[in-house]
Amino acid sequence: MTIDAIVANMDPVWNANQVSGKSQTRSYTPALERFLQDVRAKGFPLLLMSDMKSADLNRAIHEQLGEEGINYFSSILPSEAAPDLRYAMALHTLGTQADRIVAVGVSQHHQDEARDSGITRWVHLADVLSSDDSVLSDKA
């Protein structure tokens, strides 16, 4: 099955800055950048979904990835964007079918929410950040 797009919730990466301070947060940077560059190299649109408010999310992305970090994402749905409908909104925004999307998340709730919207391929964020190999192959 072909992948057309990725929907990702990376809140633990962004929240680490608020909890632990910048020095701890920067430890995510190499793995996060590797993932984001892999997504970009494969040409996948990447929709970032978050439970954070827009201003906090924007600040966290800037602190983690620098001024141009926001450019890795084709779309962003912050917490204000209808939490009950966000995967449906993601599908509409990305303009692709649920069976052609990979969801990256951090909890069983995220996985259940994605499945309720028809997205059956789900990868845990920890696997994405710890893998040297791409977890975003057509086998995902």
Side-chain angles (χ1 to χ4, degrees), residues 43-57:
F44 296 132
L46 175 60
L47 185 143
L48 178 64
M49 189 177 294
S50 178
D51 296 324
M52 299 171 69
K53 295 197 180 297
S54 299
D56 295 335
L57 180 59

Side-chain angles (χ1 to χ4, degrees), residues 21-121:
K22 259 187 174 176
S23 61
Q24 179 70 20
T25 301
R26 299 306 287 177
S27 67
Y28 280 114
T29 302
L32 179 61
E33 287 179 344
R34 183 179 62 245
F35 167 67
L36 294 172
Q37 289 167 358
D38 184 36
V39 169
R40 181 179 280 169
K42 288 184 164 95
F44 296 132
L46 175 60
L47 185 143
L48 178 64
M49 189 177 294
S50 178
D51 296 324
M52 299 171 69
K53 295 197 180 297
S54 299
D56 295 335
L57 180 59
N58 188 44
R59 183 174 31 262
I61 291 169
H62 178 78
E63 289 173 1
Q64 183 71 31
L65 297 170
E67 196 169 308
E68 299 298 316
I70 199 92
N71 295 326
Y72 280 108
F73 308 102
S74 55
S75 303
I76 297 176
L77 292 176
S79 65
E80 297 95 335
D84 296 347
L85 301 173
R86 61 188 179 170
Y87 280 94
M89 290 173 66
L91 290 169
H92 179 76
T93 300
L94 291 166
T96 193
Q97 299 170 343
D99 65 344
R100 297 176 66 97
I101 289 181
V102 173
V104 176
V106 295
S107 70
Q108 184 65 46
H109 174 73
H110 291 152
Q111 186 175 13
D112 293 343
E113 196 177 354
R115 284 203 172 125
D116 288 347
S117 294
I119 300 170
T120 57
R121 291 186 284 178

Side-chain angles (χ1 to χ4, degrees), residues 2 82 123:
T2 302
V123 180

